[in-house]
Amino acid sequence: MAQERCTPSPKAKAPTLKERLAKLGLVHDWDFALHLPLRYEDLTAITPFAELQLGRLQQTAGTVVSASTVRTQRGEQLVALVEDEDGHRVKLRFIHFFPSVKALLRVGQVVRFHGEPRMAFGGGLEFIHPKLQTGTAALKPLASTLTPVYPAGEGIRQTSLRKRIQEALATLDLTDPLPETMRSSLKLPSLKAALTELHTPPAGANPVALDERTTPAWHRLIFDELLAQQITLQGVRVRTKRYHAKPLSEKNSLTTPFLKALPFALTGAQQRVWREISADLALTAPMNRLVQGDVGSGKTVIAALAALRAVENGYQAALMAPTEILAEQHFKKLKAWFEPLGLTVVWLSGSLKAKAKREALEKVAKGDAHVAVGTHALIQANVDFKALGTAIVDEQHRFGVAQRLSLRTVRDGETLMPHLLMLSATPIPRTLAMSYLADLDVSVIDELPPGRSPIVTKLVKLDRKDALIELVHQEVNAGRQVYWVCPLVEESEKLDLTP
């Protein structure tokens, strides 16, 4: 029998440094100039052993007086005893080490090291895996500035990153875009001075203030970021004015019967918010409004009214939620409310079978579906609304900007854009709303329906989980209901979690 010859598959070529940097978004000079440090190391001074402070990163130096390996339950460790010129001693401990490290720590060797001292078992101070410099490196002049530590991916050395950032700063035109009068009134340094200080803080600079981003240099960069955001959002508003929306007038052929059928009356806050939305929908400019309100404040009813206003004007409405569970809750509620009014509500999600999905898409495209409810499936390329008048996005902060806006994307050559209503239960302080959401109008439902208890949020440490479970048992035994919410690190349309 002939044997098959197996040829090894070619080894994948390792990415170059340029490719690794590009993966971090570092391509152009400005990318590097604005790649700011995570923290700083103070290598500008040598701290005597007697002045070392627990829990703080410091640089110090001494001579190795002994070095040996010790066997522990975790395996073999390398321990060296180092003495400074004042006769004080500290230990260096390496839990994992290469033979080369052991060779560096020979008796009589002068070492300079940087790390965080802690109390050693049995007394005295020790450093665990400090950064070591020996030989001529330990005798070189001290750094003249604090040493920045940057976010870096695999295979990217800090020294390479620092060198490239300094090259960018030397190449760029750092002419300040802010007038001197504005900088003076706000007590902000120039852009060049701020970037220079952040990338190379002088000796004596406060590393804690730099880490906490409270220095004038940090304030300048933060100001520039907020200013750029405002300019960008203003540009979005200007571009949006090029588009028009179909005015949705108060016909009340559906909204009035809907309100009469509800087993409750709208709160004063709901009525106020609905008046604001209704006025927006009647304009030829596309609505771009966020409704914020606590859980249970009645945002879904407002969304239903916005959807009905579109339908009674001959248009469709769509409601998108970030998870399948939340979207399905909306679908069931809207279906129960709208079907008695003679409306068709369809469901679209990634889990739909091919036939059901095809039928739903056909109803949406033909206009037979008055309202579509679903997840991200609503913004896929194969979803084509016949006449979308109002797009509603729940838990809008869970979507990216592009995802939120996808429901109102216009075709080439068209100028009509659907009205956009976004909902959120996440509290948004007014000042933050004015800055971060400058391209939106904001309405707040600040009143709970009668009989609803206020929502109280408490933070419980993980080590008190047993006490929390006991509290849950008490509430359930008392005949009350409990929600246990488990947040996800990764986004998922289907949640299947157990505490």
Side-chain angles (χ1 to χ4, degrees):
M1 180 182 293
Q3 292 184 337
E4 293 184 0
R5 179 174 295 177
C6 296
T7 56
S9 56
K11 189 176 181 180
K13 185 180 178 182
T16 64
L17 177 59
K18 185 177 180 180
E19 291 169 337
R20 294 179 191 274
L21 291 170
K23 193 174 181 180
L24 292 179
L26 301 176
V27 178
H28 307 290
D29 284 338
W30 272 114
D31 299 330
F32 288 94
L34 297 176
H35 190 66
L36 301 174
L38 285 171
R39 57 184 176 84
Y40 299 87
E41 295 177 347
D42 189 354
L43 305 179
T44 64
I46 298 293
T47 304
F49 290 176
E51 298 177 17
L52 289 171
Q53 299 178 32
L54 292 174
R56 180 180 169 188
L57 287 168
Q58 295 145 94
Q59 177 176 250
T60 188
T63 303
V64 178
V65 296
S66 69
S68 60
T69 55
V70 295
R71 186 163 296 280
T72 69
Q73 292 181 344
R74 297 183 178 181
E76 198 173 50
Q77 298 182 3
L78 174 62
V79 179
L81 192 62
V82 180
E83 184 178 274
D84 68 3
E85 57 186 15
D86 296 324
H88 298 284
R89 294 183 173 186
V90 298
K91 290 179 181 177
L92 308 185
R93 185 181 298 274
F94 296 85
I95 301 172
H96 307 287
F97 62 94
F98 292 104
S100 57
V101 176
K102 185 176 180 180
L104 291 174
L105 293 174
R106 63 182 182 274
V107 175
Q109 177 69 271
V110 175
V111 293
R112 184 186 293 180
F113 50 99
H114 180 267
E116 185 177 312
R118 70 172 195 175
M119 292 301 298
F121 182 76
L125 297 180
E126 72 175 359
F127 288 76
I128 307 295
H129 286 277
K131 292 183 179 178
L132 278 179
Q133 290 181 317
T134 61
T136 56
L139 302 174
K140 69 180 182 181
L142 296 171
S144 59
T145 66
L146 298 188
T147 303
V149 179
Y150 296 98
E154 183 182 356
I156 301 175
R157 299 177 61 185
Q158 288 290 323
T159 51
S160 301
L161 201 47
R162 292 179 192 127
K163 181 180 178 182
R164 180 63 181 86
I165 288 170
Q166 290 304 314
E167 290 174 356
L169 291 175
T171 303
L172 287 169
D173 178 7
L174 296 177
T175 303
D176 207 304
L178 293 183
E180 172 61 32
T181 53
M182 180 182 292
R183 296 202 308 270
S184 298
S185 64
L186 296 172
K187 298 180 179 179
L188 296 174
S190 69
L191 178 61
K192 183 176 182 179
L195 286 172
T196 300
E197 181 176 330
L198 291 177
H199 288 296
T200 52
N206 186 344
V208 176
L210 286 166
D211 288 345
E212 294 179 352
R213 305 190 174 189
T214 58
T215 65
W218 271 114
H219 289 166
R220 172 58 202 266
L221 268 292
I222 292 169
F223 176 85
D224 282 12
E225 186 174 342
L226 291 173
L227 179 61
Q229 181 196 49
Q230 293 300 299
I231 293 173
T232 301
L233 293 176
Q234 184 61 32
V236 171
R237 278 183 175 266
V238 171
R239 288 194 297 274
T240 302
K241 289 180 180 178
R242 296 182 300 180
Y243 298 99
H244 303 283
K246 193 69 176 177
L248 307 178
S249 59
E250 294 186 47
K251 296 186 179 298
N252 297 325
S253 58
L254 292 172
T255 53
T256 298
F258 169 70
L259 289 172
K260 287 182 178 179
L262 290 175
F264 53 83
L266 298 188
T267 64
Q270 285 176 307
Q271 293 177 35
R272 183 191 71 249
V273 169
W274 172 235
R275 286 194 298 270
E276 293 169 352
I277 293 171
S278 182
D280 281 356
L281 292 174
L283 300 176
T284 56
M287 179 179 72
N288 201 25
R289 184 172 288 274
L290 171 72
V291 173
Q292 190 270 318
D294 286 337
V295 174
S297 62
K299 298 186 296 297
T300 306
V301 172
I302 298 300
L305 286 167
L308 290 175
R309 175 59 54 83
V311 177
E312 66 186 11
N313 277 270
Y315 289 86
Q316 296 166 292
L319 190 156
M320 182 171 70
T323 65
E324 189 158 326
I325 286 180
L326 180 57
E328 191 171 5
Q329 289 174 348
H330 283 311
F331 171 68
K332 290 178 179 178
K333 183 166 288 188
L334 294 184
K335 187 176 182 181
W337 282 344
F338 290 175
E339 283 192 344
L341 299 173
L343 305 184
T344 300
V345 183
V346 298
W347 166 249
L348 270 174
S349 77
S351 64
L352 270 182
K353 300 293 185 182
K355 181 180 178 182
K357 183 179 293 186
R358 184 171 59 253
E359 291 174 351
L361 290 173
E362 288 177 357
K363 289 180 180 179
V364 168
K366 292 179 179 178
D368 296 337
H370 300 97
V371 180
V373 181
T375 58
H376 303 75
L378 282 172
I379 56 176
Q380 300 306 309
N382 58 346
V383 182
D384 186 16
F385 287 89
K386 181 179 181 180
L388 183 61
T390 300
I392 303 163
V393 180
D394 193 16
E395 293 295 326
Q396 59 89 27
H397 62 282
R398 298 278 300 276
F399 294 98
V401 174
Q403 290 176 319
R404 292 201 302 266
L405 298 180
S406 291
L407 270 176
R408 68 187 321 192
T409 300
V410 295
R411 297 185 182 90
D412 291 339
E414 293 186 358
T415 57
L416 278 180
M417 178 181 283
H419 296 282
L420 179 62
L421 177 65
M422 289 175 276
L423 313 175
S424 178
T426 303
I428 304 172
R430 184 65 181 166
T431 50
L432 179 59
M434 290 172 65
S435 60
Y436 185 68
L437 302 172
D439 63 329
L440 301 179
D441 296 307
V442 181
S443 296
V444 180
I445 303 178
D446 52 7
E447 177 186 357
L448 291 175
R452 290 280 178 89
S453 300
I455 304 297
V456 178
T457 302
K458 294 183 179 180
L459 181 66
V460 179
K461 291 185 177 179
L462 192 60
D463 56 13
R464 295 189 59 201
K465 183 177 178 181
D466 292 340
L468 178 60
I469 292 174
E470 179 58 32
L471 178 61
V472 169
H473 281 304
Q474 292 176 12
E475 293 294 314
V476 172
N477 292 337
R480 291 186 284 269
Q481 294 176 308
V482 176
Y483 282 94
W484 186 300
V485 181
C486 300
L488 279 180
V489 174
E490 298 291 338
E491 291 288 344
S492 171
E493 285 193 6
K494 291 186 176 181
L495 306 179
D496 183 17
L497 298 174
T498 3

